[in-house]
Amino acid sequence: MAGQHRDQPAAAGGDGSRDSGAVSTTDTGHPGVDIPRLRKALGLGAATGIVSAFPLWKIPRKPLALWSGGIAAAVVTGGLILKRDQSEREAEVQGEPRAEVSRARRLGAPVATGALFGGLMAGSMWLTSVTDEWSEKLIARLGAKRPRATYAVLAGVGTALIDYFDDSPRKSGQDGKGAPGEMSEKRA
C-alpha cells in the first residue's frame, strides 16, 4: 500500500501477505519506489554516461587491444600463481605432504589460463572499439548535432533503467546469496 512501511503487514487477505504491487522500502511516501535501488541505478547510469562520453574508437585499436590483453593476462596469471602458493602454504601448515612437481608443470596452467583470458580481453576491447565507432556514426546519421553527447546520455539512461528494473534472482536475493529475508519487493 502507498506509504506503508515494509515491515507492516498488508491488510488484504488477512494472512499477512503483501499485495502484488511494488511497495516502498522506506517511509518516503513514494509508492513503489525503492529509493536505495534507485540511487544505485542512477549512480551506475551516471558513471556509464561519463565513461561513454570518451570516444574509445579514437585510440588506435592495435595498441588498445594489446595493452588491455597484456594487462589482463598478467593480472590473471599472477593471481593464479599467488593462489596456488597460498594453498600450498596452507597445506604445509596443516601437515599435508607436499607433492613434488616440476616448475613447468606448476606454471603451465596459470600461464595458459592468463594467455587465454588476455586474448579474450584483447578481442573484446577491439570489438568494443569497433562498435563504439559504429554507434557514434549511426547516431550522427540519425541527425544528432552532438552524437557523442547523445550516445553518452542514451547509454547512461539505458543503464540506469536496466539496473533499476532488473528483477533477476541474483539482484533480488533469491539465489540464496542475499541476506535472509531480503527479497525484491516487486516479486510477490
Side-chain angles (χ1 to χ4, degrees):
M1 294 189 167
Q4 179 180 340
H5 192 271
R6 68 178 174 168
D7 294 332
Q8 296 173 342
D15 61 350
S17 65
R18 297 191 187 163
D19 59 355
S20 62
V23 178
S24 175
T25 60
T26 61
D27 281 331
T28 61
H30 300 287
V33 176
D34 184 348
I35 300 298
R37 190 172 181 170
L38 179 63
R39 283 184 184 144
K40 179 184 170 282
L42 290 175
L44 187 61
T48 301
I50 290 168
V51 169
S52 297
F54 298 103
L56 185 65
W57 64 270
K58 289 187 178 181
I59 300 171
R61 285 192 186 108
K62 189 173 181 179
L64 177 69
L66 291 176
W67 273 100
S68 61
I71 291 170
V75 168
V76 169
T77 302
L80 289 173
I81 289 172
L82 289 174
K83 185 68 176 169
R84 174 176 278 170
D85 287 345
Q86 179 185 5
S87 12
E88 286 176 357
R89 275 187 255 120
E90 288 174 359
E92 249 180 57
V93 168
Q94 294 176 0
E96 297 175 12
R98 185 174 177 164
E100 294 299 321
V101 181
S102 69
R103 173 176 264 166
R105 190 159 194 148
R106 285 175 41 92
L107 296 177
V111 169
T113 304
L116 288 172
F117 191 78
L120 179 66
M121 184 66 183
S124 174
M125 283 305 283
W126 182 84
L127 186 62
T128 299
S129 177
V130 169
T131 57
D132 186 61
E133 180 180 17
W134 177 82
S135 299
E136 186 175 341
K137 288 181 178 179
L138 175 69
I139 291 171
R141 274 185 279 160
L142 292 174
K145 291 185 191 232
R146 297 186 179 205
R148 196 73 213 177
T150 304
Y151 178 73
V153 168
L154 289 173
V157 169
T159 299
L161 289 172
I162 289 170
D163 188 64
Y164 184 76
F165 290 109
D166 180 18
D167 208 16
S168 64
R170 182 171 196 101
K171 289 188 87 164
S172 65
Q174 291 188 10
D175 63 348
K177 296 181 182 176
E182 281 186 15
M183 186 171 141
S184 172
E185 298 295 332
K186 292 184 180 179
R187 292 191 185 246

